Amino acid sequence: MRAQVGIVGAGPAGLLLSHLLALRGVESVVVEARSRAYCEARQRAGVLEDGSVRLLRAAGLAGRLDRQGLEHGGIYLQFAGERHHIDFRALTGGRTVTIYAQTEVVKDLIAQRLAQGGAVHFDVTDTEVDRLESDKPVLRYTSSDGRRHEVVCDAIAGCDGFHGICRPAIPRHLLTVNEREYPYAWLGILADVPPSTDELIYAHHARGFALHSLRSLTVSRLYLQVDRDVSIESWPDERVWYELRTRFELPGSRWTLKEGPVLDKSVTPMRSFVSAPMRYGRLFLAGDAAHIVPPTGAKGLNLAIADVAMLAPALASLLRGDLGPARAYSAACLSRVWRATHFSWWMTTMLHRAPGADDMEAQLQLSQLRYVATSPAAATSLAENYTGYPELPI
Ligand code: FAD
Ligand code: DHB
């Protein structure tokens, strides 16, 4: 079989790349290890940057996003029993973020690709990439009916996430890998209850970080800092709600946390990881395959979108014989990746309580939080990073 571009992974990066290529007249084959139902149900991110929304809109993918997405003009930072609003609109000249779940982005992308006759193969096994140094790299996989396929491509995109097979296909000595694991994790719940807040609350607390997010006007998404090696069984629903109530409590105010049935519960480890370069021969990595950020700051999904916004035109140029943009791809992405890596690390270390942290550490965090809450200069830095920096050129 032949395809101009072989894409490994039907997460946001792989699916959006396939769509952006189709808009440029480039055909691709997407292979995915999981089922369609699994990809559409996997609970992950929920915040789209301004530029991500504009890109999805420009690509004709924002029908449901424009109807159901919730535009937020800021966040709350809570610490020392006070809740402060950071006003993105005022600080950044009108920029906002939009609450629209990754599950919905993925559903929209799958529906669009299939409606347009795009090749997306779910439930594949034994994916392999080969001959990456040649100008005819090869993608092999076994389809769900047990047949083995070999697709000869002009380029391959590794959009297969952190645990995929594409990054390990690059000779290790050619990669520079920077990695940091954090000594805590996030326990996330989806709850069938209207959110108790109009905008997200990021809370610093002596018992650990908590985040109040949402998925709609009737469904809340909440996160708690927990120990890294925690077992989910040790967090029954009552314990989760108790801890959320405690960490969001605002002494002296009438604010309360609404509680409801827990629809989903999972634990996410936290790590910063950047593997460079993001290209090897005709293999191009995008999204979590090349980099991971801790979730504080909601950058993971947005970085995946930004990568493929660069990769699609670069691959279209490559197919026309102009290799310049493909050669520039890695460096162009890594500049944004490192900005987001720093921002996510900064938000994470400012808001979480590290095991064994002393009062000095806590006072430094509180001083930084108070600075952000009271200085327009400091708040602007948070606001422009949170809404996306640099702005996507759309
Ligand atoms: P993925 O979404 O991981 O997609 C990769 C796809 O490749 C998957 O569908 C996978 O099944 C497939 N694949 C893997 N190996 C193969 C193979 N060998 N063959 C074929 N297919 C393969 N970000 C936030 O901003 N906020 C959050 O709250 C948040 N929570 C998260 C929770 C979890 C558990 C995880 C893992 C990530 C979370 N993230 C969050 C990060 C965000 O969801 C990711 O950055 C985003 O999914 C990246 O998209 P992607 O397409 O690069 O990778
Ligand atoms: C969500 C996740 C994040 O990591 C974050 O910083 C904000 C919101 C969410 O899933 O809604």
Side-chain angles (χ1 to χ4, degrees), residues 181-202:
E181 287 200 7
Y182 297 83
Y184 31 73
W186 276 17
L187 181 142
I189 61 162
L190 195 66
D192 191 11
V193 61
S196 310
T197 181
D198 57 339
E199 289 183 341
L200 273 52
I201 308 170
Y202 286 80

Side-chain angles (χ1 to χ4, degrees), residues 216-248:
S216 70
L217 296 176
T218 56
V219 176
S220 298
R221 176 80 168 146
L222 297 127
Y223 296 97
L224 276 178
Q225 174 188 343
V226 294
D227 292 344
R228 187 168 52 184
D229 307 316
V230 80
S231 85
I232 204 155
E233 290 71 36
S234 63
W235 281 91
D237 296 356
E238 315 80 70
R239 183 177 177 202
V240 173
W241 287 116
Y242 171 81
E243 205 63 35
L244 288 167
R245 266 197 315 274
T246 309
R247 297 188 196 181
F248 287 122

Side-chain angles (χ1 to χ4, degrees), residues 48-323:
L48 292 176
E49 290 171 4
D50 192 51
S52 301
V53 172
R54 281 188 286 113
L55 178 103
L56 293 170
R57 206 172 276 143
L61 290 163
R64 224 156 54 88
L65 165 61
D66 279 332
R67 286 194 302 279
Q68 296 174 17
L70 300 170
E71 193 176 351
H72 280 193
I75 56 168
Y76 296 99
L77 280 183
Q78 181 169 331
F79 54 93
E82 305 160 18
R83 195 172 288 169
H84 298 264
H85 190 238
I86 308 293
D87 187 341
F88 296 162
R89 281 198 187 90
L91 293 162
T92 64
R95 294 172 65 201
T96 58
V97 294
T98 297
I99 305 300
Y100 191 65
Q102 180 169 328
T103 45
E104 306 311 305
V105 175
V106 166
K107 280 183 208 161
D108 293 346
L109 282 164
I110 292 175
Q112 180 86 355
R113 288 313 298 131
L114 297 181
Q116 295 187 345
V120 187
H121 304 295
F122 293 97
D123 297 303
V124 310
T125 49
D126 301 316
T127 317
E128 284 174 4
V129 292
D130 199 5
R131 288 189 239 144
L132 302 172
E133 307 83 356
S134 77
D135 58 7
K136 288 282 174 276
V138 169
L139 169 64
R140 293 190 202 95
Y141 65 96
T142 302
S143 49
S144 53
D145 59 6
R147 283 191 300 149
R148 189 83 184 142
H149 301 265
E150 178 167 294
V151 190
V152 179
C153 309
D154 295 306
I156 292 180
C159 302
D160 49 348
F162 185 66
H163 299 288
I165 51 110
C166 288
R167 189 181 65 253
I170 303 176
R172 182 62 184 86
H173 68 277
L174 297 179
L175 290 177
T176 302
V177 174
N178 283 291
E179 183 164 21
R180 176 158 305 180
E181 287 200 7
Y182 297 83
Y184 31 73
W186 276 17
L187 181 142
I189 61 162
L190 195 66
D192 191 11
V193 61
S196 310
T197 181
D198 57 339
E199 289 183 341
L200 273 52
I201 308 170
Y202 286 80
H204 175 279
H205 194 279
R207 298 174 72 92
F209 171 72
L211 169 62
H212 191 329
S213 182
L214 53 137
R215 286 292 174 266
S216 70
L217 296 176
T218 56
V219 176
S220 298
R221 176 80 168 146
L222 297 127
Y223 296 97
L224 276 178
Q225 174 188 343
V226 294
D227 292 344
R228 187 168 52 184
D229 307 316
V230 80
S231 85
I232 204 155
E233 290 71 36
S234 63
W235 281 91
D237 296 356
E238 315 80 70
R239 183 177 177 202
V240 173
W241 287 116
Y242 171 81
E243 205 63 35
L244 288 167
R245 266 197 315 274
T246 309
R247 297 188 196 181
F248 287 122
E249 187 186 5
L250 267 187
S253 98
R254 297 224 300 271
W255 185 88
T256 54
L257 181 67
K258 295 188 204 101
E259 300 176 24
V262 173
L263 306 171
D264 187 271
K265 192 190 290 175
S266 62
V267 175
T268 308
M270 296 180 62
R271 99 165 28 93
S272 298
F273 175 93
V274 182
S275 170
M278 289 168 61
R279 176 178 80 93
Y280 170 64
R282 293 255 174 155
L283 172 69
F284 297 80
L285 301 180
D288 280 14
H291 42 74
I292 298 277
V293 288
T296 335
K299 290 288 152 216
L301 169 60
N302 293 291
L303 281 180
I305 291 175
D307 284 352
V308 297
M310 306 283 291
L311 186 52
L315 292 178
S317 297
L318 176 86
L319 289 163
R320 289 194 304 269
D322 172 7
L323 272 63

